[in-house]
Amino acid sequence: MTVKWAPAPASAVREAVKRLLGFLSLLLILSACSAQNRATSPKEVRNLAGSTQVQQSRKAAEEHLRSIVHAYDKNTALTPGFVTVNDMCVGGAAKEWFFPTGDDQYKIRCAMRVTAYYGADPHQIADVLDGIFTAGDRDSFAGAPGGTIPFNHDYYRRHLVAYYRGHGPNPTGPNTPEPAQVFDPSQTLSWDTVRSSQKKPVEEHDLCVRSDPPVTRCLHEPASKTVADIRKQYGAVFKLEISVANYYQVSKNGKVTQTWK
């Protein structure tokens, strides 16, 4: 007995083709999704960190942060000692199915921290602080972008100056440690204690991580200067910590979600 196979109707062929095309489309979608779920490779991080757009954003952020450092030199009695710059770009993590931190939402994220150390006469701390707060008053009145020096003569700081002049009590309260820091969300300024018998000096700076531009940069200018050198030369050390500047970020889908202009 001979069995003959009849050709499939055209409609059946079309259905088969449609199913095949649908399957291929699904594969493409899954492939795209899996690419977004992967961690950013070191090679891609390096390529992105060295791109023109990132370099421009990095330069603008650093210029802004250094302008703040310079403002203290120009407008206060502090004498520059040295500056450190820590700059790093990191790649995004693979999809975080449990305990998400948000590190899986970006391809690359770049941030920079600038810290400056200054010298001052320990016998003139009241005048130094008063001058800093006066400069802050001017910046606040002028509406300086981002508040170049954000510390002005508020209630606490007026009493802080009086305390260092010997004209008033410790503004943080009786039997409390000597106040040696003022804080703002954008900056923290701290200094060597000079009135307390229990000294709390500004500590030495952290050692630089290995520089590997454009992914990581660590600058210490001038490289030979230390906190101990500043203290030996001027008597007291002030430390200015500027909050981290997140200057560039790209989401996993390739959209630039943060840049510095």
Side-chain angles (χ1 to χ4, degrees), residues 14-32:
R14 284 196 298 270
E15 286 299 320
V17 171
K18 287 171 63 176
R19 286 196 297 270
L20 178 60
L21 291 175
F23 178 69
L24 292 175
S25 298
L26 179 61
L27 287 179
L28 290 173
I29 293 172
L30 291 175
S31 175

Side-chain angles (χ1 to χ4, degrees), residues 105-121:
Q105 299 299 305
Y106 57 85
K107 278 188 177 182
I108 187 174
R109 181 172 63 182
C110 300
M112 184 183 302
R113 177 188 289 276
V114 170
T115 304
Y117 296 81
Y118 304 86
D121 184 341

Side-chain angles (χ1 to χ4, degrees), residues 123 125-126 158-170 195:
H123 303 293
I125 296 295
R158 288 198 303 271
H159 284 76
L160 181 65
V161 172
Y163 164 77
Y164 271 102
R165 293 195 192 283
H167 297 163
N170 186 331
R195 293 195 56 175

Side-chain angles (χ1 to χ4, degrees), residues 5-218:
W5 296 97
S11 59
V13 173
R14 284 196 298 270
E15 286 299 320
V17 171
K18 287 171 63 176
R19 286 196 297 270
L20 178 60
L21 291 175
F23 178 69
L24 292 175
S25 298
L26 179 61
L27 287 179
L28 290 173
I29 293 172
L30 291 175
S31 175
C33 290
S34 62
Q36 291 188 24
N37 288 341
R38 292 196 297 267
T40 313
S41 70
K43 181 179 180 180
E44 187 173 11
V45 170
R46 180 168 295 278
N47 288 339
L48 289 170
S51 68
T52 300
Q53 194 170 7
V54 175
Q55 291 184 49
Q56 291 173 345
S57 187
R58 179 182 295 125
K59 180 182 178 182
E62 186 167 345
E63 287 177 350
H64 171 75
L65 297 176
R66 285 183 181 271
S67 73
I68 296 173
V69 173
H70 179 65
Y72 281 84
D73 172 27
K74 180 181 178 181
N75 300 319
T76 77
L78 296 175
T79 303
F82 65 90
V83 175
T84 64
V85 178
N86 289 280
D87 178 17
M88 180 176 292
C89 293
V90 296
K95 180 65 177 178
E96 297 174 318
W97 299 105
F98 305 102
F99 310 110
T101 64
D103 290 341
D104 60 346
Q105 299 299 305
Y106 57 85
K107 278 188 177 182
I108 187 174
R109 181 172 63 182
C110 300
M112 184 183 302
R113 177 188 289 276
V114 170
T115 304
Y117 296 81
Y118 304 86
D121 184 341
H123 303 293
Q124 302 295 325
I125 296 295
D127 290 339
V128 172
L129 289 173
D130 198 26
I132 291 170
F133 301 153
T134 298
D137 291 338
R138 288 195 300 267
D139 283 347
S140 177
F141 180 77
T148 304
I149 297 179
F151 309 114
N152 52 25
H153 282 99
D154 64 8
Y155 177 87
Y156 171 80
R157 294 168 194 150
R158 288 198 303 271
H159 284 76
L160 181 65
V161 172
Y163 164 77
Y164 271 102
R165 293 195 192 283
H167 297 163
N170 186 331
T172 60
N175 303 317
T176 59
E178 176 183 344
Q181 183 182 95
V182 287
F183 170 81
D184 178 86
S186 64
Q187 299 175 28
T188 300
L189 184 68
S190 53
W191 57 90
D192 291 344
T193 55
V194 295
R195 293 195 56 175
S196 173
S197 59
Q198 296 182 336
K199 300 299 182 183
K200 186 180 179 182
V202 171
E203 297 181 351
E204 283 290 350
H205 62 96
D206 295 331
L207 295 177
C208 265
V209 298
R210 184 176 68 90
S211 285
D212 184 23
V215 178
T216 60
R217 290 189 311 142
C218 186

Side-chain angles (χ1 to χ4, degrees), residues 246-260:
N246 296 298
Y247 64 85
Y248 197 81
Q249 183 169 304
V250 178
S251 66
K252 281 289 181 70
N253 63 13
K255 181 180 178 181
V256 177
T257 56
Q258 189 169 48
T259 188
W260 196 283

Side-chain angles (χ1 to χ4, degrees), residues 224-239:
S224 61
K225 203 79 167 182
T226 66
V227 169
D229 292 336
I230 299 173
R231 188 173 291 115
K232 182 178 180 180
Q233 184 174 0
Y234 299 101
V237 177
F238 275 69
K239 177 183 180 181

